[in-house]
Amino acid sequence: MSPLALADAGTAALLLDLQSFGLRLEDSEVGIAGRRGGAGPSDHKAVKFGGRTVMVPIATASACESPFVAGKPDQHGISEIRRDGVVVNHIEFPRQPRFYELQTADGIPYSQIATLHSSDVLATTLLQSCIRYGNRNTSCQFCAIGESLAAGKTILRKTPEQLAEVAKAAVELDAVKHMVMTTGTPNLTDRGAAMLCESAQAVKAAVDLPIQGQCEPPDDDIWFERMKACGIDSLGMHLEAVTPDVRARIMPGKAGVPLERYMDAFDAAVKVFGRGQVSTYILAGLGDTPEAILAMSERLIGKGVYPFVVPFVPITGTPLENHPAPTPAFMAQILPKLGAMLKQANLLSQDIKAGCAKCGACSALASYEV
């Protein structure tokens, strides 16, 4: 039996530890493909652990001091995880995606257009910029959307044609099962919904691939119907923080969109996409208490919105790069209770058609839904 199959009741707790403390790598070569900067799970690496693919921090300040060390992988890509010299489990490092070897006719590597975030999830940031980024009075302090662009790892604007080409290749070469399209906020009206529409329509014309679109609540709810009509199957509108004071401190520009606008937008979006097909990211560890996160989650579940609670990871190059990640004990006050709430409401990540919550790699939450 593979050591990867030896998951037990302690696997979820160990995942809490790994996602809070991070992981040191004995073999630096396996960290090359980890994500650094950008708009998604940055400074992380995807690994197979406990029967699923998860994202574990490898390039953060806390990861450099982590008590967990991954040994050099064997010929099958399997590595021991040790804590203080004692083997506690095993992980597998996935191979490099095949579509990364390709480029467009004008010489742009496919990996600069879309990336593999997990074992079967293709992700892209349509616009690698934001009207708020770079201004300390408006920028979200955790955001690193400009870091990967500055490093030459991506391009500013991905065209619908490029996305369709890469998505088709990712499905055919790497068996990608669903796609995430997010974007920096380009304006204060549709807030990126128009770009999501044209991009999703192009991808769906090229390949049958479920898509999650992600943007802030647009100014007009008609955009939900437009996004659905263009091929977006599920929608993410991310709160990140759930109390007004934390929102104002951590993301002063985005806090200009009031919580009540989000609540109204969630209601309108659920009517279009359906119960369980609308989700929101909540970053635990920014200042909200476990009680506040659970109270907001209960409210969202009542609306049919999936609250995807993930541990905050401080990203290099951002104002919060030295902010501590939440402790495993902090996450343990939230995720088991939230998992039970989701199970009771029959609002499960496995039933989402596409997106971050369906992937679940950035949180141990799905482990508590069973």
Side-chain angles (χ1 to χ4, degrees):
M1 179 182 293
S2 166
L4 295 173
L6 300 180
D8 55 27
T11 302
L14 179 55
L15 180 55
L16 286 183
D17 288 348
L18 287 171
Q19 291 190 323
S20 290
F21 294 129
L23 183 65
R24 289 184 287 136
L25 306 177
E26 279 189 347
D27 184 358
S28 61
E29 289 298 311
V30 301
I32 292 175
R35 297 197 69 245
R36 303 192 180 198
S42 301
D43 291 2
H44 286 61
K45 186 169 182 61
V47 298
K48 292 183 180 179
F49 169 74
R52 53 184 288 219
T53 301
V54 298
M55 300 297 289
V56 177
I58 62 167
T60 62
S62 59
C64 295
E65 304 296 329
S66 174
F68 295 98
V69 179
K72 186 173 182 178
D74 64 17
Q75 66 270 28
H76 303 294
I78 296 175
S79 172
E80 293 179 343
I81 304 176
R82 300 190 302 272
R83 182 169 190 168
D84 299 325
V86 178
V87 176
V88 294
N89 214 305
H90 296 77
I91 57 174
E92 179 182 354
F93 293 98
R95 60 168 176 76
Q96 184 88 336
R98 293 185 178 94
F99 79 88
Y100 278 21
E101 301 171 5
L102 304 178
Q103 62 183 28
T104 63
D106 50 351
I108 299 173
Y110 278 12
S111 61
Q112 293 188 9
I113 296 169
T115 58
L116 198 67
H117 274 200
S118 185
S119 60
D120 60 3
V121 187
L122 184 67
T124 187
T125 303
L126 303 181
L127 178 67
Q128 203 77 30
S129 181
C130 178
I131 55 172
R132 302 187 178 109
Y133 186 74
N135 183 332
R136 66 180 182 180
N137 295 319
T138 59
S139 181
C140 297
Q141 294 186 38
F142 51 75
C143 184
I145 194 171
E147 295 298 309
S148 54
L149 181 64
K153 296 179 180 178
T154 189
I155 58 175
L156 178 61
R157 175 73 167 92
K158 291 79 172 179
T159 68
E161 295 76 19
Q162 290 170 335
L163 292 166
E165 181 180 342
V166 174
K168 188 171 186 295
V171 170
E172 294 174 349
L173 297 176
D174 295 283
V176 162
K177 297 295 191 297
H178 57 112
M179 184 174 187
V180 176
M181 290 183 180
T182 189
T183 182
T185 301
N187 57 56
L188 295 178
T189 53
D190 69 73
R191 293 190 168 91
M195 285 194 295
L196 288 167
C197 284
E198 64 178 10
S199 299
Q201 194 166 32
V203 168
K204 280 295 178 72
V207 63
D208 184 14
L209 186 64
I211 298 171
Q212 182 186 57
Q214 299 180 353
C215 63
E216 295 180 43
D219 61 340
D220 192 328
D221 290 344
I222 193 65
W223 281 107
F224 299 133
E225 295 179 15
R226 291 170 180 167
M227 286 189 280
K228 177 72 172 177
C230 287
I232 291 175
D233 300 284
S234 66
L235 183 68
M237 293 187 291
H238 300 332
L239 287 171
E240 275 99 18
V242 302
T243 53
D245 58 330
V246 177
R247 295 183 81 231
R249 176 168 50 85
I250 298 295
M251 42 188 190
K254 191 173 179 179
V257 183
L259 283 171
E260 286 311 310
R261 170 56 192 148
Y262 272 87
M263 298 301 114
D264 291 343
F266 286 138
D267 288 336
V270 169
K271 289 179 181 178
V272 174
F273 291 95
R275 184 177 182 273
Q277 300 306 322
V278 179
S279 61
T280 188
Y281 243 90
I282 296 174
L283 299 175
L286 292 176
D288 292 317
T289 65
E291 294 77 15
I293 291 173
L294 287 169
M296 176 59 77
S297 296
E298 183 176 26
R299 184 179 181 186
L300 292 166
I301 291 170
K303 293 177 177 291
V305 175
Y306 186 98
F308 188 43
V309 177
V310 306
F312 165 69
V313 175
I315 300 174
T316 303
T318 69
L320 293 183
E321 65 179 348
N322 295 316
H323 187 93
T327 65
F330 185 90
M331 297 306 300
Q333 293 181 66
I334 301 170
L335 297 188
K337 293 177 182 178
L338 178 53
M341 291 163 58
L342 290 165
K343 184 178 180 181
Q344 183 176 14
N346 195 30
L347 200 72
L348 304 177
S349 56
Q350 66 185 21
D351 297 327
I352 302 173
K353 295 176 181 177
C356 291
K358 181 178 182 65
C359 167
C362 293
S363 175
L365 178 57
S367 301
Y368 296 98
E369 293 179 13
V370 295

